[in-house]
């Protein structure tokens, strides 16, 4: 399995994991269920851990696709920068989740914790979704929205 295959196989894990954990966190906070909130925190930690192989396989994927026809180098660079930021955001979210699980183990968490964690989680969700979208634009011309780019060719008079 090459770097591009690893990157493509794993890149959805931190994205979907973060989205799922954020939904779980919202549900746990609404239900006031510590067990559900703890499961969400574990989901954030798992997403942060899984972000590493995705990030580390990125340069290998870039090397394999950058010279293919239709690849826009600017799209790769934008995705790469977004990936660096997403990795940092995921690590911050995962660290905060780990601290919460350890620091307040067996004790009640402060009232500010839930809302702060939810805002941070929603921010990170937006970051990872944007990163994934930018990655899709590398190979999928239909996803690109380049200013001044010509319209895509149509079939048979569409």
């Amino acid at each position: 399995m090459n770097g591009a295959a690893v990157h493509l196989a794993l890149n959805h894990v931190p994205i979907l994991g973060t989205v799922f954990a954020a939904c779980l966190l919202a549900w746990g906070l609404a239900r006031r269920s510590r067990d559900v909130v703890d499961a969400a925190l574990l989901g954030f930690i798992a997403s942060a851990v899984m972000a590493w192989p995705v990030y580390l396989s990125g340069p290998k994927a870039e090397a394999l696709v950058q010279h293919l026809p239709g690849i826009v180098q600017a799209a790769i660079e934008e995705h790469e920068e977004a990936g660096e930021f997403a990795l940092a955001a995921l690590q911050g979210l995962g660290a905060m989740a780990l601290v919460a699980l350890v620091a307040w183990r067996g004790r009640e968490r402060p009232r500010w914790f839930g809302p702060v964690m939810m805002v941070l989680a929603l921010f990170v969700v937006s970051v990872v979704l944007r990163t994934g979208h930018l990655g899709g634009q590398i190979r999928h011309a239909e996803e690109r929205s380049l200013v001044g780019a010509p319209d895509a060719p149509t079939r048979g008079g569409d």
Side-chain angles (χ1 to χ4, degrees):
M1 187 180 287
N2 63 34
V6 170
H7 193 73
L8 291 173
L10 297 180
N11 68 21
H12 295 88
V13 175
I15 296 171
L16 295 175
T18 305
V19 170
F20 178 75
C23 292
L24 202 57
L25 177 64
W27 178 255
L29 293 173
R31 300 281 311 213
R32 298 181 193 269
S33 170
R34 184 178 181 111
D35 289 340
V36 174
V37 169
D38 286 353
L41 297 176
L42 289 171
F44 292 135
I45 294 167
S47 293
V49 169
M50 287 305 298
W52 280 104
V54 173
Y55 178 75
L56 294 174
S57 64
K60 294 175 181 128
E62 178 182 6
L64 289 169
V65 302
Q66 67 185 349
H67 301 295
L68 295 177
I71 298 297
V72 177
Q73 188 62 34
I76 293 174
E77 296 305 322
E78 190 174 9
H79 175 62
E80 184 178 350
E81 289 175 15
E84 291 169 357
F85 187 73
L87 179 68
L90 280 164
Q91 298 314 298
L93 181 63
M96 187 165 175
L98 182 61
V99 166
L101 287 172
V102 172
W104 294 300
R105 186 176 175 195
R107 298 182 316 177
E108 189 172 333
R109 295 184 179 116
R111 298 189 83 194
W112 57 264
F113 171 77
V116 167
M117 195 68 183
M118 193 73 240
V119 167
L120 181 60
L122 291 174
F123 171 73
V124 174
V125 164
S126 72
V127 168
V128 297
L129 287 174
R130 177 178 180 270
T131 303
H133 175 68
L134 291 171
Q137 290 181 357
I138 294 169
R139 281 291 287 179
H140 299 284
E142 70 277 11
E143 289 285 322
R144 293 187 197 126
S145 58
L146 301 175
V147 176
D151 290 336
T154 58
R155 289 185 173 189
D158 287 343

